[in-house]
């Protein structure tokens, strides 16, 4: 009986696991990845429940309390208009995550679509799309974003569009290289042989088997997008007053660094922690989902 029990347990242990379950097991072993997941979860919850958590309104002014240091009434102090910095930082999480997520989503959709077409069809189509990616990559990303926002006009929505555009080639080239590899697999060749349509092959076979690197790159790209949005806001090309966007808060506080350092420190800390969280999470996902990392 003991031998039978051991054999049964061995069979259960060697039973094939779901790839996603296996990735989750690997991910849980990475402590830094769990820290990143915790940070990201914290800021996401902060953004979702901002109106309930923030102690004051984001534009609630009291000039008699301007530039106060942290206190029991105002944990992060107040800005030059007497507004509570903690409340504005909390609501700023909603704006920064919104810009980061939707700009990356737009980049993924457009970049992945172009990369799929270029990698699958090749030839002249591949050449044209690849040269388009090269043109976008020829410009420093932040300068290209500034140029786009300058043409469209300073606003948070235009900053989102600019960030989405400058990240398109990153996802396009990534998915293109993956498609070039996947389309040589036997199941793709078999699908072509039986006359399956290109659209069905691309969206039912090629794309699902190319999605892993997009998940990893997308997570890391959100961190970059948050920094780019903050940079545009700092330059006055992103969110406009009185929107409590972290980059704009840094720009408004730069003249009070000595008098009230908290006005600059806390928005900067929020940016740093959010970016750190997404980078740690992205590194953990890469280690868990990349087959080469699994072998190591």
């Amino acid at each position: 009986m003991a031998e039978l029990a051991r054999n049964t347990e061995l069979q259960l242990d060697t039973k094939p696991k779901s790839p996603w379950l296996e990735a989750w097991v690997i991910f849980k072993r990475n402590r830094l990845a769990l820290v990143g997941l915790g940070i990201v979860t914290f800021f996401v919850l902060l953004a979702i429940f901002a109106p309930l958590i923030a102690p004051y309104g984001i534009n609630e002014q009291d000039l008699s309390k301007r530039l106060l240091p942290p206190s029991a009434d105002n944990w992060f102090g107040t800005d030059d208009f007497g507004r509570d910095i903690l409340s504005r930082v909390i609501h700023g999480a909603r704006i920064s995550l919104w810009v980061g997520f939707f700009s990356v989503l737009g980049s993924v959709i457009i970049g992945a679509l172009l990369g799929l077409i270029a990698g699958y069809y090749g030839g002249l189509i591949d050449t044209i799309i690849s040269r388009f990616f090269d043109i976008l990559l020829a410009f420093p990303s932040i300068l290209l974003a500034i140029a786009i926002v300058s043409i469209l006009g300073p606003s948070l929505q235009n900053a989102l569009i600019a960030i989405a555009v400058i990240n398109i080639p990153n996802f396009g080239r990534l998915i293109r290289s993956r498609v070039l590899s996947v389309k040589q697999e036997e199941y793709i060749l078999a699908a072509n042989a039986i006359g399956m349509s290109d659209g069905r092959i691309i969206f039912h076979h090629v794309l699902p088997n190319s999605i892993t690197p997009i998940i990893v790159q997308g997570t890391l790209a959100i961190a970059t997008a948050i920094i780019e949005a903050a940079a545009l806001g700092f330059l006055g090309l992103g969110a406009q007053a009185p929107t409590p966007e972290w980059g704009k808060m840094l720009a408004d506080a730069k003249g009070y660094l000595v008098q009230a350092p908290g006005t600059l420190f806390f928005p900067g800390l929020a940016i740093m922690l959010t970016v750190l969280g997404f980078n740690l999470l992205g590194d953990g996902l890469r280690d868990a989902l990349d087959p080469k990392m699994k072998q190591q």
Side-chain angles (χ1 to χ4, degrees):
M1 292 296 292
E3 184 68 23
L4 179 60
R6 282 196 297 270
N7 290 337
T8 303
E9 183 179 354
L10 181 61
Q11 292 176 359
L12 291 174
D13 290 340
T14 57
K15 184 179 180 180
K17 295 180 179 179
S18 164
W20 294 105
L21 179 59
E22 182 182 356
W24 171 243
V25 172
I26 297 173
F27 182 86
K28 288 193 300 182
R29 296 174 186 164
N30 190 330
R31 294 185 178 180
L32 288 178
L34 292 177
V35 171
L37 178 61
I39 294 174
V40 170
T41 302
F42 170 76
F43 278 99
V44 169
L45 293 176
L46 203 66
I48 293 173
F49 299 106
L52 301 177
I53 298 174
Y56 300 97
I58 56 175
N59 295 317
E60 194 174 321
Q61 301 181 17
D62 187 348
L63 295 179
S64 65
K65 296 182 179 181
R66 63 191 304 269
L67 301 176
L68 292 179
S71 64
D73 293 330
N74 305 99
W75 289 6
F76 287 2
T78 59
D79 64 7
D80 54 321
F81 287 99
R83 298 173 297 194
D84 182 62
I85 296 176
L86 173 60
S87 300
R88 293 178 63 78
V89 168
I90 290 174
H91 281 272
R94 171 175 290 189
I95 296 171
S96 293
L97 291 178
W98 178 79
V99 172
F101 178 79
F102 283 101
S103 62
V104 169
L105 180 62
S107 301
V108 168
I109 293 174
I110 299 175
L113 182 60
L114 293 175
L116 283 169
I117 295 173
Y120 186 80
Y121 290 105
L124 180 61
I125 295 177
D126 183 20
T127 301
I128 294 174
I129 294 177
S130 296
R131 296 297 78 78
F132 171 68
F133 291 158
D134 291 340
I135 291 172
L136 291 179
L137 290 172
F139 299 93
S141 58
I142 189 62
L143 293 182
L144 182 58
I146 291 173
I148 294 172
V149 175
S150 298
I151 294 172
L152 299 178
S155 72
L156 188 61
Q157 290 75 16
N158 291 339
L160 187 154
I161 294 172
I163 295 169
V165 169
I166 64 177
N167 285 306
I168 286 175
N170 298 327
F171 291 99
R173 289 162 65 96
L174 178 66
I175 196 67
R176 174 185 174 275
S177 64
R178 181 63 179 168
V179 171
L180 289 174
S181 174
V182 170
K183 77 175 186 178
Q184 302 301 325
E185 297 290 340
E186 292 183 358
Y187 62 91
I188 301 296
L189 298 177
N192 275 310
I194 65 175
M196 188 177 292
S197 66
D198 290 343
R200 185 173 178 82
I201 293 175
I202 290 174
F203 292 105
H204 286 78
H205 297 287
V206 176
L207 181 58
N209 288 283
S210 307
I211 202 71
T212 298
I214 294 179
I215 295 174
V216 176
Q217 182 63 28
T219 305
L220 296 171
I222 292 176
T224 304
I226 290 173
I227 294 178
E228 291 166 344
L232 291 174
F234 184 83
L235 295 173
L237 298 173
Q240 302 298 302
T243 305
E245 192 270 329
W246 290 337
K248 178 60 178 173
M249 292 176 67
L250 291 177
D252 294 338
K254 65 181 183 293
Y256 307 102
L257 179 59
V258 177
Q259 185 178 359
T263 57
L264 199 70
F265 174 77
F266 291 112
L269 180 64
I271 295 173
M272 185 200 74
L273 289 176
T274 307
V275 171
L276 176 64
F278 277 105
N279 281 331
L280 293 177
L281 178 60
D283 288 341
L285 289 175
R286 181 200 59 199
D287 296 343
L289 296 174
D290 189 345
K292 295 180 181 178
M293 301 299 295
K294 292 180 183 179
Q295 292 175 2
Q296 295 176 2

